[in-house]
Amino acid sequence: HFSRLKRSQGQVKQNMHNAKVAVLGASGGIGQPLSLLLKNSPLVSELSLYDIAHTPGVAADLSHIETRATVTGYMGADQLGAALKGCEVVVIPAGVPRKPGMTRDDLFNTNATIVATLADACARHCPQAMICIISNPVNSTIPITSEVMKKHGVYNPNRVFGVTTLDIVRANAFVAELKGLDPARVNVPVVGGHAGKTIIPLISQCTPKVEFPTDQLSALTGRIQEAGTEVVKAKAGAGSATLSMAYAGARFTFSLLDAMNGKEGVVECAFVRSEETECKYFSTPLLLGKNGIEKNLGLGKISAFEEKLVAEAMDELKGSIKKGEDFVANMK
């Protein structure tokens, strides 16, 4: 995806699609590098940056980059509507990050309110937009976003995505490292949810095909599931994954924009409303198109080891989903 970083005017002319993209939480640890990557892409013509602080500075800084996207900063709740007007894609990394010892669910109280407020604004000001949620706990913030959109009568399950791309990016990197492969060639689908045991890498479906002995497969799976915590610990109180998350968020956004522009065969995993399992929301590979999800490609053929992981994830996933739904049901 980042071969696009090469500034070739010829390529820009072919790609002259006009997309207005908003980043909500643009001044934060993920928001700033994500906004930089989006500004760098020829797929984006307008970049709308919103946060409760510092956005005028971030926008001024990014606006000096020699790429076509025009950048506008919006700050404070009274400017949120203006930030969203006319947006086709909204990416939401807003919220607080984890500190060591915290689970993603420990973020619930703070981030649930933030996401509900932002989803409400999207429902009012850009009801047709693709909504990409990065704010954790994704297993709950996607049900929250969906229920808020329903309250406004504008919910479209094909346009609301929980961005799990970092799990895929990590799986690709770790498998490539273990096997001495070029990570750009590796693709590991990751299904389920976006927290601990609900993160299910389908190593059996990896391309190119790879084999691991049972103990190594188990360790690799555990590392992918706990990779976020690995970063939280390494940052020692200074936050969680921001740079790799920004890369993954940009990768997903570019895939979505490509598909919206008519590119065929674009597939990404994301946490979405789903009929693929007994869980109301579940991440699987999705064929993306002009209107968001064109087709849910489902779980496909999975190994006995992976089947067990799916079964073991169900209770936690259902609990997190219900927690999100209940939050909106009890909102004033």
Side-chain angles (χ1 to χ4, degrees):
H1 280 78
F2 292 92
S3 59
R4 292 209 187 95
L5 297 185
K6 291 226 303 273
R7 240 179 124 246
S8 128
Q9 288 308 324
Q11 188 194 16
V12 172
K13 284 207 173 56
Q14 288 161 7
N15 281 345
M16 270 304 182
H17 296 289
N18 296 319
K20 182 170 182 183
V21 180
V23 179
L24 308 184
S27 305
I30 297 164
Q32 290 202 41
L34 173 60
S35 298
L36 172 63
L37 293 170
L38 295 174
K39 171 67 174 124
N40 217 18
S41 170
L43 296 169
V44 179
S45 60
E46 287 182 74
L47 194 53
S48 182
L49 306 183
Y50 172 81
D51 212 318
I52 54 171
H54 310 303
T55 15
V58 174
D61 193 353
L62 288 175
S63 73
H64 294 179
I65 291 172
E66 54 182 356
T67 54
R68 66 185 281 248
T70 57
V71 187
T72 316
Y74 300 87
M75 188 165 70
D78 54 322
Q79 293 186 14
L80 178 54
L84 292 169
K85 199 170 150 40
C87 287
E88 287 130 293
V89 178
V90 180
V91 191
I92 309 186
V96 294
R98 288 196 284 162
K99 293 263 198 311
M102 288 173 85
T103 66
R104 287 181 182 88
D105 190 61
D106 291 334
L107 305 173
F108 185 92
N109 291 335
T110 308
N111 289 2
T113 306
I114 293 170
V115 170
T117 304
L118 298 175
D120 182 85
C122 291
R124 292 172 196 273
H125 301 283
C126 56
Q128 298 292 300
M130 306 290 175
I131 315 287
C132 308
I133 307 282
I134 290 170
S135 318
N136 272 316
V138 166
N139 293 355
S140 301
T141 55
I142 281 298
I144 287 170
T145 303
S146 305
E147 292 301 313
V148 169
M149 302 297 274
K150 279 182 203 172
K151 279 193 170 178
H152 288 270
V154 297
Y155 176 55
N156 182 341
N158 295 321
R159 290 173 178 258
V160 178
F161 303 91
V163 180
T164 61
T165 315
L166 184 50
D167 299 323
I168 291 87
V169 166
R170 285 167 165 156
N172 293 350
F174 299 167
V175 167
E177 190 182 358
L178 286 171
K179 292 292 182 188
L181 297 165
D182 171 6
R185 285 182 50 244
V186 177
N187 185 27
V188 180
V190 181
V191 301
H194 182 63
K197 290 219 179 332
T198 69
I199 297 169
I200 302 156
L202 303 182
I203 309 289
S204 73
Q205 292 182 20
C206 177
T207 53
K209 197 163 169 37
V210 291
E211 305 252 349
F212 293 100
T214 314
D215 56 337
Q216 202 179 15
L217 178 63
S218 187
L220 171 61
T221 300
R223 185 177 179 210
I224 294 164
Q225 290 174 332
E226 293 306 319
T229 307
E230 189 179 303
V231 177
V232 170
K233 283 184 180 161
K235 289 201 174 181
S240 56
T242 53
L243 302 169
S244 54
M245 185 60 247
Y247 168 87
R251 173 181 143 163
F252 184 80
T253 305
F254 297 152
S255 289
L256 197 49
L257 290 170
D258 275 339
M260 289 165 74
N261 288 334
K263 185 172 174 183
E264 309 238 309
V266 179
V267 176
E268 290 282 0
C269 295
F271 188 65
V272 297
R273 181 77 179 87
S274 174
E275 306 292 334
E276 300 304 311
T277 67
E278 68 214 52
C279 252
K280 205 188 273 194
Y281 297 86
F282 203 84
S283 178
T284 43
L286 309 168
L287 178 64
L288 301 175
K290 288 194 158 132
N291 299 304
I293 302 172
E294 192 144 298
K295 184 168 190 247
N296 193 318
L297 302 177
L299 280 169
K301 189 175 172 303
I302 65 175
S303 70
F305 174 72
E306 290 158 357
E307 257 169 44
K308 189 165 174 284
L309 293 176
V310 171
E312 286 169 356
M314 282 301 168
D315 283 351
E316 181 183 332
L317 208 41
K318 285 179 183 167
S320 299
I321 291 165
K322 185 173 184 328
K323 188 171 179 177
E325 290 177 335
D326 290 348
F327 178 82
V328 178
N330 298 323
M331 253 171 29
K332 288 168 196 60

